Amino acid sequence: MNSLDLKKVFIVTAVLVFFLVIVHSWDDHVLYNPSYFTDLLTLIASENFLEHGFTTLKFLPVFDPQIDPGNIAFYTHYPPLSVIFNALLMKTGISSLPLLRLFPILAGALFLLFWIRTVRLLVDETAAYISGLFIVTSSLFTKWLPSLFCYSYDYLLVSIGVYAFLRACRSTDVPAQKRYLALCWVSTWIQSLMSFEFILFLQTFYFGYALLYRPKLPRSFLFALPTAPLAGFALHLFQNFLVLGPAAVTDLASAFMARTQGMQAESSFGMLRYAELLGLRILRWYGLLPVALISWLVVHFLTEKTETTSTLRGHLRVLLLFFVCGAAWFIIFMEHSFVHFHELRQWLFFYALGASLFLKDILSRLSRLESPLKKSLIAVALIILFADHGARFGYGFFNEPRTLHGLVAFREIKETTSPRSRVFTNYAYETHCAYYSDRNCHPVRDISSLKEAEPRGEDLFLFAAEDRGAFLLKHVPLLGYLSKWTLHRSYVQADYSRNNQDDRFLKDPLFQHLAKTYPFKVSNGFYIFYLVDHG
């Protein structure tokens, strides 16, 4: 198949996938998908911006639906640009959730265009479209594609930065180099305002590529690139200073320590389990292909010596650079990576480029083989690998429940309680409760944590019955969610729900305590306990 045919296959596949993503995400409710948590927080913070004003909130998100003007809980540990952008869209009158999702989907489409141009520069047009096909059919890409948070925008900005940097390296015209490096700087700066995660990725790529290939770039241009994320970080620190004063520095320092060393404080977790969990997550989201890809790389670097592979060897160097770029965050911010499995997205570039090089090389070898048996075995292995890839893509669309549990209960809370009422809940997805009840929600897993919360008379408790609190455990595959620590935010809830199916939750001490103490009503599988009689 030539590059023109591949281009047609890519276009048709991309159109079908994007259509499927739009249809699948065309719902007025935030359902149970991997990005539900950040989507709900983005919507809550966006509505707060519209109600209270951007300047009043210092352009920092507040994730409480009800804000106490005297005690505003600003979120200061993450760049807020994706939330600000979503709020600006809502300010223009775009309030429909499906319409809001079109913007990150558009960003994902533009990312694909820039990535294909990037691979075309690095390898050739055939590899570019094969790589694009792997991305557009990757569950890790499509599952987060319609998210309102930073994920799609990150992909776009990273691809622009990498592409502009490579064009600057390949150009011999100094004015053209300056234009590309300016674009590279601006995209890197904007990306640093979207998220912290890809700052290390981009800087590792810029300096790693410069060391590997020695492009004719003025050193002043190269060393100007790190000033982009520094400028973004300085702006974010200034925002934090407006609300925290001098404590802004210690606030970010403590957040840094928690995301790098926090795991060491957990005696029940360690490096072996971290490695096991990482391996399970890679298998869950990328399938068996990374195993084949790494094996292929090892064989190449250990055995291939001929001149015919010199071009491929050059490509493999930049492939390994992408691997190192993706690994940088996992090495330094281990605790954050442990909690947030979506950080595997940083290896999407390595995966897509590696898959295209792998497939080209294997097909080339296959055409030169004379043994029918060897040809058949390789063909079967390829079919298994790509069937596995396709299965994970299909699973990403069809495994999720399409019913939002608790919506009736959440709306009842909103209609029958005061905005000052707080909701304490054992529900693993308390963010849904917060957004749809428009009340500040706090997770509570046992009697002691309930007492520590010091509930007031106007507060209430929402008890998730019938295993509603962790129903997703029924739908996950073996690989990826094999271990209980995968659901980091719900360790207790995960075990609790497994042990309390078939109405055994009625024997739970927390439930018994609430049932004896407070009046309650049942709403769609949820028990609502009022700390005072609202009837």
Side-chain angles (χ1 to χ4, degrees):
M1 185 180 291
N2 59 38
S3 59
L4 181 60
D5 292 334
L6 272 174
K7 181 178 181 180
K8 293 177 181 177
V9 171
F10 168 75
I11 291 174
V12 171
T13 304
V15 169
L16 288 175
V17 170
F18 275 81
F19 175 76
L20 182 58
V21 169
I22 291 172
V23 171
H24 188 73
S25 61
W26 201 268
D27 197 294
D28 289 329
H29 299 117
V30 179
L31 300 177
Y32 302 98
N33 55 61
S35 64
Y36 81 91
F37 181 69
T38 50
D39 280 3
L40 290 166
L41 293 182
T42 298
L43 290 170
I44 292 172
S46 298
E47 292 178 1
N48 282 333
F49 276 134
L50 297 185
E51 181 178 351
H52 300 278
F54 291 92
T55 54
T56 300
L57 298 181
K58 307 299 187 291
F59 289 88
L60 286 170
V62 178
F63 297 137
D64 290 332
Q66 300 296 328
I67 293 180
D68 178 1
N71 186 29
I72 302 178
F74 295 100
Y75 189 71
T76 57
H77 294 169
Y78 205 81
L81 185 57
S82 62
V83 178
I84 293 172
F85 179 66
N86 189 77
L88 290 173
L89 291 175
M90 293 174 67
K91 192 174 180 64
T92 63
I94 304 174
S95 57
S96 167
L97 181 58
L99 292 180
L100 289 172
R101 291 196 186 282
L102 291 179
F103 289 88
I105 291 174
L106 175 61
L110 293 175
F111 153 64
L112 276 172
L113 295 179
F114 275 99
W115 177 246
I116 286 173
R117 288 178 172 271
T118 299
V119 179
R120 189 183 295 162
L121 281 176
L122 291 170
V123 188
D124 57 33
E125 194 163 13
T126 299
Y129 288 115
I130 294 175
S131 180
L133 277 169
F134 273 99
I135 286 180
V136 82
T137 56
S138 164
S139 60
L140 194 65
F141 172 68
T142 53
K143 290 291 282 183
W144 276 269
L145 179 60
S147 172
L148 304 178
F149 202 49
C150 63
Y151 309 116
S152 292
Y153 303 116
D154 270 344
Y155 281 138
L156 173 59
L157 293 164
V158 169
S159 65
I160 292 174
V162 170
Y163 173 74
F165 181 78
L166 291 174
R167 288 300 302 264
C169 292
R170 306 285 175 101
S171 178
T172 57
D173 181 42
V174 174
Q177 278 187 332
K178 289 182 178 180
R179 288 195 297 272
Y180 283 121
L181 286 170
L183 176 60
C184 181
W185 194 97
V186 171
S187 62
T188 303
W189 175 63
I190 297 175
Q191 190 286 313
S192 71
L193 301 175
M194 281 286 180
S195 76
F196 287 137
E197 282 91 314
F198 279 97
I199 292 176
L200 278 175
F201 183 101
L202 284 171
Q203 298 305 312
T204 302
F205 181 83
Y206 298 151
F207 284 90
Y209 190 89
L211 289 172
L212 284 174
Y213 296 95
R214 304 288 181 179
K216 295 182 179 179
L217 286 178
R219 287 190 176 182
S220 58
F221 291 174
L222 182 63
F223 284 98
L225 292 177
T227 64
L230 288 175
F233 181 79
L235 179 58
H236 183 60
L237 184 61
F238 174 72
Q239 287 179 276
N240 293 358
F241 184 84
L242 293 177
V243 298
L244 297 176
V249 176
T250 55
D251 174 66
L252 280 178
S254 63
F256 173 82
M257 295 300 292
R259 285 157 177 77
T260 54
Q261 300 179 14
M263 199 178 96
Q264 296 175 8
E266 298 282 356
S267 59
S268 58
F269 303 101
M271 290 300 299
L272 289 178
R273 285 191 172 181
Y274 176 74
E276 177 191 359
L277 179 61
L278 184 59
L280 287 172
R281 288 175 175 176
I282 290 173
L283 288 172
R284 161 65 181 90
W285 290 102
Y286 288 122
L288 299 173
L289 193 55
V291 179
L293 179 58
I294 292 173
S295 302
W296 171 70
L297 285 171
V298 171
V299 170
H300 256 290
F301 280 103
L302 291 180
T303 63
E304 295 296 335
K305 303 290 183 183
T306 63
E307 287 295 324
T308 55
T309 62
S310 59
T311 301
L312 179 58
R313 280 175 168 272
H315 296 154
L316 294 182
R317 285 198 297 170
V318 75
L319 176 62
L320 289 177
L321 176 59
F322 275 114
F323 177 83
V324 173
C325 292
W329 186 268
F330 288 86
I331 294 171
I332 297 176
F333 292 91
M334 191 172 293
E335 168 69 5
H336 185 271
S337 307
F338 175 81
V339 176
H340 301 288
F341 63 89
H342 63 257
E343 292 312 328
L344 287 174
R345 65 196 177 113
Q346 300 208 34
W347 271 320
L348 184 65
F349 302 89
F350 163 77
Y351 174 75
L353 178 60
S356 64
L357 294 174
F358 169 77
L359 185 59
K360 282 189 64 179
D361 185 56
I362 295 299
L363 291 178
S364 175
R365 290 169 181 272
L366 191 62
S367 65
R368 297 196 301 268
L369 284 177
E370 297 181 359
S371 169
L373 179 60
K374 289 182 179 180
K375 282 188 173 183
S376 299
L377 289 175
I378 293 176
V380 169
L382 288 176
I383 290 172
I384 292 173
L385 286 175
F386 298 128
D388 175 69
H389 175 84
R392 290 171 197 286
F393 169 73
Y395 172 85
F397 280 103
F398 303 116
N399 75 305
E400 294 170 357
R402 302 298 296 173
T403 302
L404 181 58
H405 293 281
L407 189 59
V408 174
F410 303 153
R411 287 176 173 169
E412 183 172 343
I413 291 172
K414 184 177 181 178
E415 294 170 358
T416 60
T417 63
S418 162
R420 283 178 47 83
S421 298
R422 298 174 299 171
V423 180
F424 298 94
T425 180
N426 74 327
Y427 187 47
Y429 305 93
E430 70 270 5
T431 323
H432 278 102
C433 177
Y435 181 68
Y436 288 107
S437 69
D438 196 32
R439 300 293 181 265
N440 295 347
C441 289
H442 307 275
V444 172
R445 308 303 186 202
D446 51 35
I447 297 176
S448 61
S449 60
L450 177 65
K451 293 178 178 177
E452 290 173 3
E454 298 181 353
R456 304 184 296 257
E458 58 193 346
D459 297 335
L460 59 149
F461 186 91
L462 183 72
F463 195 99
E466 300 175 3
D467 197 30
R468 294 296 178 93
F471 69 94
L472 280 182
L473 292 173
K474 300 175 182 177
H475 300 274
V476 296
L478 178 63
L479 293 176
Y481 285 98
L482 190 63
S483 307
K484 66 178 181 180
W485 54 84
T486 306
L487 296 175
H488 179 82
R489 291 178 56 252
S490 311
Y491 294 135
V492 178
Q493 180 67 18
D495 286 341
Y496 162 80
S497 296
R498 288 174 177 173
N499 295 329
N500 289 274
Q501 296 176 14
D502 303 326
D503 292 342
R504 278 178 288 176
F505 65 90
L506 294 172
K507 299 179 182 179
D508 181 84
L510 177 59
F511 178 84
Q512 292 182 344
H513 168 78
L514 292 166
K516 292 176 181 177
T517 311
Y518 305 113
F520 66 89
K521 63 171 60 177
V522 182
S523 178
N524 193 32
F526 288 78
Y527 283 70
I528 304 176
F529 293 87
Y530 296 105
L531 302 194
V532 296
D533 190 349
H534 282 58

